[in-house]
Amino acid sequence: MKRAIRLMLEKILRTFGGNVGYRLVREISYSRDGRCLAIPWMDADSQLKEKTIDLNYQIENQSCPFCNDNREKNVLVDQVREVGGVNTRKVVYQCPGCDFIFTNEKRGTRGDYFRTTPYQDDVTGIRRDRELDLISIGMKIASLSENCNILIYGSGNTNTRQFLVNKGLSNVWASDVAENAIYDEYTINTGKQPDYFKKAGLRFDLIIAVEVWEHYAREDIKEAFRWLFEHISDRGLLLATTSLWYPQNSDPIFNASKESGIEQLKWWHYLHFLDHTSFYTEKNIKLIAGAHGFSAEFAYFSDERVHREDPFKRAICIAHDSNLLLGKKIRKEFSGRFLDLFYY
Ligand SMILES: [Zn+2]
Ligand SMILES: [Zn+2]
């Protein structure tokens, strides 16, 4: 009953209050729909600690992949909460130089980790459907035809490539680094052959990376992003989704105080998925893109469930700085827009 009333109030506020109403809604309640707040590790009782997965270990190398700051990282939160039936302890470190946050969990390098664990559909959405949505958006923005080069990055066990081929797209490639992902002639294990496409003289007009970046270990970030940027063709773009983090009230739409900084981390279930380890600010992404001659733009999901459950989830579009025409189209058709992207 309480929930029904709250939902109705939210609807009224949102309908008649616009963004101000929306912000009010977000200020009023962030412990919603059964989403509990995280419990500080020091307050957890022994029973909870016993059923919690704790993979954290001390940081040895302090270097930041974005700003190269070597100072000791701040511990932002040390907390436990449940997501998808699994309790995880997350110790979240923050770079004092650029606000990038990460966990330091035992899981080996990205290559080691994904060798045995391919990307799969997870509760944040069926990958293929979101990949298809991004592909149609990207093809439209960059005015690409059916013979453009597409790369599905982190293809795992999805059949997006085959689906597109059946639809008449002739140049669709896929890549993963897991040993037990599905591979074929056009699906390449880039863990084993990172230079495969380079050797073949292939760059892509469209690269799609759905929910991959949050899985990069801090040590792999520089190299992983470099690989992506090097594989974007001159006329091409990269479209990704991940959930960002907002250290201050810096978000133009959801800038409620409980949706940034430590308040965000208290109730943000995304943080507590196993293997989610890196969380970027918009600035982090812009910085690393900029260092390679690219610019990054951000868009929202139109699905209201995203606004309620993970309002920090973004679509991110990256393209060459030098492609002025494409940049103009991206700013017009993508930046700050609410896009119809599959959620779940
Ligand atoms: Zn930094
Ligand atoms: Zn993920």
Side-chain angles (χ1 to χ4, degrees), residues 84-254:
V86 182
N87 286 289
T88 52
R89 178 188 181 185
K90 294 278 181 169
V91 181
V92 178
Y93 297 92
Q94 177 186 31
C95 173
C98 72
D99 289 330
F100 165 59
I101 62 171
F102 60 94
T103 62
N104 203 42
E105 298 172 64
K106 274 203 180 66
R107 39 165 265 179
T109 64
R110 168 166 148 266
D112 287 342
Y113 170 67
F114 287 114
R115 202 160 293 140
T116 51
T117 318
Y119 296 118
Q120 286 169 329
D121 293 341
D122 61 35
V123 296
T124 60
I126 295 169
R127 300 177 64 83
R128 191 190 76 179
D129 289 14
R130 194 181 300 164
E131 284 165 348
L132 295 175
D133 286 343
L134 286 171
I135 285 165
S136 59
I137 287 169
M139 286 182 70
K140 191 173 160 279
I141 292 177
S143 311
L144 298 170
S145 63
E146 288 190 340
N147 61 1
C148 67
N149 281 334
I150 297 177
L151 175 68
I152 313 291
Y153 176 83
S155 49
N157 291 332
T158 61
N159 60 350
T160 312
R161 197 194 80 75
Q162 198 52 54
F163 185 88
L164 289 165
V165 170
N166 295 344
K167 286 231 153 199
L169 293 169
S170 48
N171 264 316
V172 188
W173 294 77
S175 72
D176 207 291
V177 293
E179 232 148 61
N180 49 352
I182 298 169
Y183 291 105
D184 58 33
E185 208 185 332
Y186 295 91
T187 305
I188 308 305
N189 184 331
T190 49
K192 282 188 176 150
Q193 299 177 274
D195 293 331
Y196 180 91
F197 297 120
K198 238 185 237 172
K199 283 180 184 155
L202 265 173
R203 287 189 300 154
F204 299 96
D205 302 320
L206 189 52
I207 300 180
I208 301 296
V210 166
E211 304 298 309
V212 187
W213 295 351
E214 70 277 10
H215 295 268
Y216 288 162
R218 180 174 51 118
E219 298 78 9
D220 298 321
I221 283 174
K222 264 191 177 168
E223 197 41 50
F225 276 102
R226 180 202 309 277
W227 191 97
L228 281 171
F229 298 143
E230 283 177 354
H231 285 82
I232 304 173
S233 75
D234 290 341
R235 65 168 181 168
L237 48 82
L238 160 65
L239 285 173
T241 65
T242 189
S243 296
L244 302 176
W245 106 279
Y246 289 87
Q248 296 94 28
N249 277 355
S250 50
D251 182 72
I253 305 291
F254 303 113

Side-chain angles (χ1 to χ4, degrees), residues 25-66:
V25 170
R26 305 299 314 190
E27 289 284 0
I28 292 163
S29 165
Y30 64 121
S31 165
R32 52 178 68 207
D33 295 340
R35 291 201 182 284
C36 56
L37 297 183
I39 297 165
W41 185 247
M42 53 183 284
D43 296 346
D45 59 27
S46 53
Q47 212 185 343
L48 176 60
K49 283 182 173 165
E50 205 155 286
K51 59 177 185 181
T52 295
I53 298 176
D54 180 1
L55 300 169
N56 300 280
Y57 65 108
Q58 282 276 308
I59 302 181
E60 282 160 25
N61 162 17
Q62 299 281 352
S63 157
C64 171
F66 293 98

